[in-house]
């Protein structure tokens, strides 16, 4: 089974702190994504990466950056955390399966609270 | 701009009833339409998916109905059970695409 592991289930950080959210996948997928999930807004794409050292902005990249130094690891960085970044953060990796199309595999999520 | 529109935002159904969630898309290049199911405290997981060459796909109590001309698709959960209580996301992509466009999600509660 594909496994996508996020380093923390719950985080509490102070306003202005630099925050790192880590994500590791074990299936050699090239495509990895960071979403935030908020009630009524669904899954909003922050950043994605198609390969090592490659990154592309999603729909809401402001206040975030990412790092992908190794294929299996995709990190989301909040440069200076703010209270409006309190949210559930979901990492996903994506693969195209022969005859089965594209499938996304999600981590369990990190609930970040910024106080 | 929301590529995939989903409704309703929340849904309450009695046990044994039918749950229906609707989605609509604009981009005719999309040719793959999965549904993801998310239980509390978990990430979303693939539930069922359809391609536009068929109008319906059924897996157990879950059915996707697809209307290509209207650019709409829906998830039907027959004989809904309390264990089906979750958030459901529709999505659209290319069959071999490298990005999904998700709907805003529907929170389903099935009352015993």
């Amino acid at each position: 089974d594909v496994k996508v592991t996020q380093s923390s289930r719950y985080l509490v950080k102070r306003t202005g702190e630099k925050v790192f959210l880590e994500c590791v996948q074990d299936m050699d997928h090239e495509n990895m994504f960071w979403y935030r999930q908020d009630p009524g807004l669904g899954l909003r794409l922050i950043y994605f990466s198609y390969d090592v050292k490659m990154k592309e902005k999603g729909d809401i990249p402001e206040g975030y950056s990412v790092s992908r130094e190794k294929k299996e690891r995709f990190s989301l960085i909040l440069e200076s955390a703010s209270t409006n970044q309190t949210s559930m953060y979901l990492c996903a990796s994506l693969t195209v399966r022969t005859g089965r199309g594209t499938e996304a595999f999600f981590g369990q999520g990190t609930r970040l609270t910024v106080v | 701009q929301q590529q995939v529109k989903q409704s309703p935002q929340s849904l309450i159904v009695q046990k044994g009833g039918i749950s229906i969630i609707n989605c609509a898309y604009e981009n005719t290049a999309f040719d793959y339409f999965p549904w993801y199911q998310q239980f509390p405290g978990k990430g979303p997981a693939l539930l069922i998916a359809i391609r536009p060459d068929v109008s319906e796909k059924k897996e157990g109590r879950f059915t996707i109905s697809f209307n290509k001309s209207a650019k709409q698709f829906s998830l039907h959960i027959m004989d809904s059970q309390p264990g089906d209580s979750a958030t459901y996301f529709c999505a659209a992509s290319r069959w071999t695409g490298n990005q999904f466009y998700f709907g805003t999600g529907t929170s389903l509660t099935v009352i015993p």
Side-chain angles (χ1 to χ4, degrees):
Chain A
D1 280 352
V2 175
K3 196 161 188 181
V4 179
T5 304
Q6 294 182 229
S7 54
S8 304
R9 291 294 301 273
Y10 301 95
L11 276 178
V12 180
K13 297 292 182 180
R14 294 194 178 278
T15 301
E17 276 194 77
K18 190 168 186 177
V19 182
F20 293 86
L21 303 183
E22 305 287 344
C23 176
V24 177
Q25 51 98 357
D26 65 357
M27 282 299 292
D28 203 36
H29 292 168
E30 293 179 344
N31 305 298
M32 296 189 73
F33 302 79
W34 275 105
Y35 295 89
R36 65 177 283 178
Q37 181 177 9
D38 300 287
L41 298 177
L43 301 171
R44 292 185 292 167
L45 182 62
I46 305 171
Y47 266 97
F48 57 103
S49 170
Y50 295 141
D51 203 348
V52 174
K53 296 194 184 293
M54 289 186 61
K55 59 184 179 183
E56 297 283 345
K57 292 181 179 179
D59 299 320
I60 52 164
E62 295 78 20
Y64 304 94
S65 63
V66 290
S67 172
R68 193 162 181 203
E69 296 296 320
K70 294 184 178 181
K71 193 174 186 179
E72 67 271 19
R73 187 180 298 269
F74 191 34
S75 303
L76 179 69
I77 304 157
L78 284 68
E79 298 292 342
S80 177
S82 64
T83 55
N84 63 13
Q85 292 178 309
T86 291
S87 185
M88 170 70 84
Y89 290 87
L90 287 163
C91 173
S93 70
L94 186 149
T95 189
V96 178
R97 299 189 153 186
T98 302
R100 292 174 57 182
T102 301
E103 183 171 353
F105 298 87
F106 285 86
Q108 78 278 23
T110 297
R111 173 75 63 184
L112 173 67
T113 302
V114 182
V115 298
Chain B
Q1 182 184 359
Q2 192 75 28
Q3 296 263 10
V4 179
K5 296 182 179 179
Q6 182 172 348
S7 63
Q9 184 173 335
S10 63
L11 182 61
I12 300 174
V13 173
Q14 292 277 356
K15 179 182 175 181
I18 302 173
S19 304
I20 302 174
I21 305 170
N22 300 300
C23 286
Y25 65 99
E26 287 297 325
N27 190 342
T28 55
F30 293 146
D31 58 1
Y32 181 60
F33 303 91
W35 285 86
Y36 281 75
Q37 179 187 51
Q38 182 185 28
F39 292 108
K42 304 285 188 181
L46 179 65
L47 176 65
I48 186 173
I50 195 169
R51 296 199 69 191
D53 53 341
V54 297
S55 60
E56 185 175 282
K57 183 172 182 180
K58 185 175 181 179
E59 290 184 3
R61 295 183 293 106
F62 299 90
T63 299
I64 302 177
S65 296
F66 187 82
N67 185 329
K68 188 174 182 178
S69 61
K71 293 186 287 186
Q72 295 176 347
F73 58 110
S74 59
L75 177 68
H76 297 237
I77 307 174
M78 312 300 289
D79 187 27
S80 298
Q81 299 297 314
D84 297 330
S85 297
T87 299
Y88 292 82
F89 292 96
C90 62
S93 77
R94 298 297 305 273
W95 174 243
T96 56
N98 55 11
Q99 188 174 349
F100 281 121
Y101 297 90
F102 287 95
T104 49
T106 297
S107 175
L108 171 65
T109 302
V110 181
I111 300 171

